[in-house]
Amino acid sequence: MIKWGIIGCGRIAHRFMQGFVAVDGVELVASYSRRPETVDAFVAQYGGIACRSVEELLASDIDTVYIATLPDSHAAYSIAALKAGKHVLCEKPVTVNLTELDEVLAVAQQTGLLFMEGMKPPFYPLYSKLKEYLVNDPIGPVGYVRAGSAVADCPPDHPNYNLELVGGSLMGIAIYEAFLALDWLGPMQDIQTMGRFGETGIDMFAIFQTLHQNGYAQLYCGFDMHGKGDALIVGTLGHITIHKNWWNPAKATISYLDGRTVQLDEPFTAGGLNYEIIHFCELIKQGQTESLILPHELSRQMIAMIDQAREQIGLKYPVEK
């Protein structure tokens, strides 16, 4: 039985628990939120104890911590949990910038504990099935990726609009697109970004194209338009469409140069976060300190891409020195 603690009891923590309750061999032991009423309601729904401080949570009988707060506090909580001897699964984006992430990874290396970013797409059954299928029926070397999403229905009080809490479409949405481009095209070599700001100082819409080791990507993200959330992956012998919402992948179409079309349909259950939880628990059982599917270097490259995109449009957060 792997015993968990949760830091942060907001929207994403509830989505996490939707998947958590579907996983065998795990137990929620303790939770913490900065607002007592929030954590009290959370444990009333899911069980465990309500902690009044991070220190109390880290001193409880837990093996690992899921950090479900907003990005401004990810690094501090990750470091505190690692130093307390706990494995850490931290929600994306894993830190505010690359400098913070490197500080976290240094502590993870010193402690010899497992640290992983909560980037869900690669653990979905459809994404795994797609990668496995292409081994025997490839589309050739991939040289182009196009992906993005713009969602115009975020409630006005959503943290995505809050500059102090590290909001904005690049951090909230484009981190997914960064994963996809890097996963299929390799390390980034260059980036060109344009962005539009909103009243609160965050980027409401951004578009960026990137040059990678193996090709090009065109990506977009936004909060003031409603845009299609599919993904296109193009190779020399065919192309893949991961149908919307591609970051919760359930269907893909592979179209080959020879005229064949292959449909992959792999529904997900329990909201989808259950798959990354299962993977993370397996890593703990195996004594691993890093995921081969989502390694530390990939997390570094993802946040570095967002760092450079933000720099090009002039977006800096108050929490950054």
Side-chain angles (χ1 to χ4, degrees):
M1 183 66 66
I2 296 176
K3 298 178 180 180
W4 287 71
I6 291 183
I7 299 176
C9 299
R11 293 179 177 93
I12 186 60
H14 286 276
R15 292 206 298 271
F16 180 83
M17 287 307 301
Q18 184 183 356
F20 189 87
V21 297
V23 177
D24 293 330
V26 295
E27 178 187 357
L28 178 61
V29 171
S31 300
Y32 164 74
S33 173
R34 285 175 288 189
R35 293 187 296 170
E37 64 275 15
T38 302
V39 68
D40 288 343
F42 193 81
V43 300
Q45 183 172 354
Y46 301 112
I49 62 171
C51 297
R52 295 299 183 234
S53 68
V54 171
E55 291 75 19
E56 182 185 355
L57 179 135
L58 295 177
S60 64
D61 182 24
I62 58 174
D63 305 302
T64 188
V65 172
Y66 171 59
I67 297 173
T69 57
L70 299 170
D72 64 315
S73 58
H74 283 178
Y77 285 141
S78 294
I79 289 171
L82 290 165
K83 287 184 175 179
K86 314 302 179 185
H87 305 292
V88 174
L89 175 62
C90 183
E91 185 55 41
K92 62 82 195 164
V94 69
T95 54
V96 176
N97 51 45
L98 180 59
T99 298
E100 281 193 354
L101 178 54
D102 281 342
E103 292 172 357
V104 173
L105 293 178
V107 177
Q109 185 175 21
Q110 291 165 9
T111 59
L113 293 163
L114 173 62
F115 179 83
M116 191 181 89
E117 181 171 10
M119 174 59 64
K120 60 184 177 178
F123 304 108
Y124 273 61
L126 184 281
Y127 202 86
S128 301
K129 184 176 182 179
L130 175 61
K131 288 289 189 78
E132 291 169 3
Y133 183 87
L134 293 174
V135 171
N136 296 316
D137 196 0
I139 60 168
V142 172
Y144 176 73
V145 169
R146 177 198 47 76
S149 177
V151 292
D153 58 354
C154 273
D157 64 342
H158 199 285
N160 282 334
Y161 298 123
N162 193 313
L163 185 68
E164 297 280 344
L165 299 178
V166 191
S169 63
L170 283 167
M171 291 292 275
I173 296 176
I175 193 73
Y176 285 119
E177 278 75 56
F179 159 75
L180 193 73
L182 290 162
D183 194 42
W184 291 89
L185 297 171
M188 188 189 76
Q189 298 174 343
D190 197 12
I191 185 170
Q192 297 174 325
T193 314
M194 294 184 290
R196 181 176 67 248
F197 288 80
E199 294 179 358
T200 63
I202 58 96
D203 55 308
M204 291 296 290
F205 190 86
I207 183 167
F208 55 112
Q209 53 189 14
T210 50
L211 168 65
H212 294 258
Q213 179 177 295
N214 299 316
Y216 300 90
Q218 291 182 307
L219 311 162
Y220 71 91
C221 54
F223 290 133
D224 59 359
M225 293 191 288
H226 184 59
K228 194 174 183 181
D230 65 357
L232 179 69
I233 300 163
V234 180
T236 57
L237 301 176
H239 66 269
I240 304 159
T241 300
I242 304 179
H243 300 284
K244 64 177 184 179
N245 296 328
W246 80 259
W247 56 92
N248 292 322
K251 293 184 179 181
T253 301
I254 310 173
S255 301
Y256 288 94
L257 187 63
D258 60 14
R260 291 180 299 118
T261 299
V262 175
Q263 302 282 349
L264 299 180
D265 190 344
E266 198 72 29
F268 59 89
T269 62
L273 292 182
N274 42 312
Y275 304 111
E276 73 178 50
I277 297 170
I278 292 169
H279 176 74
F280 190 82
C281 289
E282 284 301 315
L283 294 176
I284 293 175
K285 294 173 185 176
Q286 295 166 9
Q288 302 296 314
T289 60
E290 184 175 358
S291 168
L292 294 179
I293 296 175
L294 197 71
H296 295 162
E297 180 56 28
L298 181 53
S299 287
R300 294 186 74 257
Q301 291 177 22
M302 285 190 284
I303 198 63
M305 184 185 295
I306 302 302
D307 282 355
Q308 291 186 51
R310 288 199 294 115
E311 182 179 6
Q312 289 186 356
I313 65 172
L315 175 58
K316 188 172 183 178
Y317 295 111
V319 298
E320 294 180 289
K321 299 175 183 178

